[in-house]
Amino acid sequence: MAIRRVIRMGHPLLREVAHPLEPDEIGSEQVQMIIADMVDTLHDYGGIGLAAPQIGESLRLVIVEITGEPNRYGEIAPIPLTVFINPVIEVVDPATRGYWEGCLSVPGLRGYVERPQHVMVRYSTDQGEAAELELQGFSATVFQHEFDHLDGKLFIDRMTDSRLLAFEQEFERYLLPTEEDSGE
Ligand code: NI
């Protein structure tokens, strides 16, 4: 297991459509080592999700881990460390909501992106079993962001107003939603 370098925007691999894993590849030592490296890398960089292309592996493989502790997105519902292989996302309700997204491959920037808030995810586990997960709210946004990496897309591609792209320092100073703004 090893901490890998997260490639950044401008690296062509982040713009490629990643390859699906064949069923007999999923349990292979090579894939299990990539997963272990992704976990080490996510923990070292600090983040809530990582897609295999971000460590230079063109595979349809994502890990997500949302701890219960407040992070840069505030307090959100926890998701234990989970591996998603060949995930497919279906929008259940197209109504959108925006969040200020960040990405380990676009370090130092935050951008406001609106996405559907109710989706169904179908995927294979790291044991090769079929599974599904229904997601609402912020976690629906997280998964759409991560799965976009498998299709060569970054959050900036989903922005509709480029004025809402900011460096983190300026974001916190001028744009961070206040308590009153974020009331639902
Ligand atoms: Ni990302």
Side-chain angles (χ1 to χ4, degrees):
M1 293 184 286
I3 295 162
R4 305 270 288 263
R5 190 170 59 90
V6 174
I7 61 175
R8 304 196 302 178
M9 182 169 59
H11 193 301
L13 204 143
L14 286 174
R15 293 318 202 161
E16 287 178 16
V17 176
H19 301 284
L21 280 95
E22 300 298 330
D24 61 343
E25 284 180 294
I26 292 173
S28 71
E29 193 178 337
Q30 190 198 356
V31 167
Q32 295 299 324
M33 280 183 57
I34 291 170
I35 292 170
D37 284 356
M38 287 172 68
V39 172
D40 287 350
T41 304
L42 181 66
H43 287 163
D44 184 69
Y45 276 78
I48 56 182
L50 188 68
Q54 293 181 275
I55 60 161
E57 303 284 354
S58 182
L59 295 170
R60 302 190 79 81
L61 166 55
V62 162
I63 61 171
V64 171
E65 182 181 44
I66 303 178
T67 66
E69 287 152 38
N71 60 22
R72 61 188 169 142
Y73 296 103
E75 281 189 66
I76 50 179
I79 296 176
L81 180 66
T82 309
V83 179
F84 298 86
I85 294 171
N86 300 335
V88 175
I89 204 157
E90 178 199 331
V91 174
V92 177
D93 180 349
T96 62
R97 184 183 160 183
Y99 292 95
W100 288 90
E101 297 187 19
C103 181
L104 295 177
S105 294
V106 190
L109 289 171
R110 296 286 287 263
Y112 190 79
V113 182
E114 293 192 24
R115 301 184 193 261
Q117 295 295 288
H118 189 178
V119 299
M120 181 69 87
V121 174
R122 294 186 176 84
Y123 63 100
S124 173
T125 69
D126 55 351
Q127 306 298 313
E129 289 157 0
E132 59 180 36
L133 189 60
E134 187 173 1
L135 297 158
Q136 296 195 54
F138 179 71
S139 49
T141 279
V142 170
F143 280 74
Q144 289 168 81
H145 173 120
E146 295 306 329
F147 296 168
D148 268 356
H149 280 299
L150 307 181
D151 292 324
K153 292 193 172 72
L154 298 172
F155 76 81
I156 55 164
D157 307 333
R158 299 292 190 186
M159 294 183 63
T160 53
D161 184 350
S162 57
R163 292 172 300 182
L164 300 180
L165 180 66
F167 291 104
E168 275 169 0
Q169 201 177 341
E170 283 73 10
F171 163 74
E172 280 167 25
R173 183 162 179 184
Y174 301 111
L175 300 166
L176 187 65
T178 62
E179 291 287 318
E180 302 93 78
D181 292 342
S182 63
E184 290 175 48

